[in-house]
């Protein structure tokens, strides 16, 4: 599929704007799991109808005894 510059969904400007927003709105945490276990997490997330990210966030909140993140002060 060919797009003209105006039709490109992920133009350089759009990607840069998304990156700026994400840098302001989110903290990032990288995790490492044993090789080959990502698929195990993916299947568990799929069973819940969640992305891996949403599944991990749900698990972290459960470990913290919370249903949602506290409001930002």
């Amino acid at each position: 599929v060919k797009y003209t510059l105006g039709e490109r969904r992920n133009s350089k400007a759009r990607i840069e704007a998304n990156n700026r927003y994400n840098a302001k709105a989110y903290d990032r945490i990288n995790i490492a799991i044993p090789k080959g276990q990502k698929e195990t997490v993916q299947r568990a997330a799929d069973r819940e109808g969640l992305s891996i990210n949403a599944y991990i966030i749900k698990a972290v909140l459960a470990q913290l005894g919370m249903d949602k993140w506290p409001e930002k002060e």
Side-chain angles (χ1 to χ4, degrees):
V1 177
K2 292 189 177 194
Y3 297 101
T4 64
L5 187 57
E7 294 174 319
R8 288 179 61 190
R9 297 177 111 184
N10 292 316
S11 69
K12 184 177 179 184
R14 168 59 41 215
I15 292 167
E16 289 172 354
N18 287 347
N19 288 342
R20 283 191 304 273
Y21 173 80
N22 288 337
K24 283 194 280 187
Y26 301 104
D27 288 326
R28 298 199 61 83
I29 299 173
N30 294 320
I31 65 167
I33 59 174
K35 193 77 170 169
Q37 294 306 310
K38 179 180 177 184
E39 187 61 33
T40 302
V41 177
Q42 182 67 65
R43 284 192 305 270
D46 289 346
R47 282 192 301 271
E48 301 258 342
L50 300 171
S51 66
I52 289 178
N53 190 65
Y55 183 80
I56 291 171
I57 288 171
K58 184 177 176 181
V60 168
L61 286 169
Q63 279 295 118
L64 294 171
M66 298 164 47
D67 292 328
K68 63 180 184 173
W69 297 113
E71 293 295 320
K72 198 174 177 181
E73 293 180 16

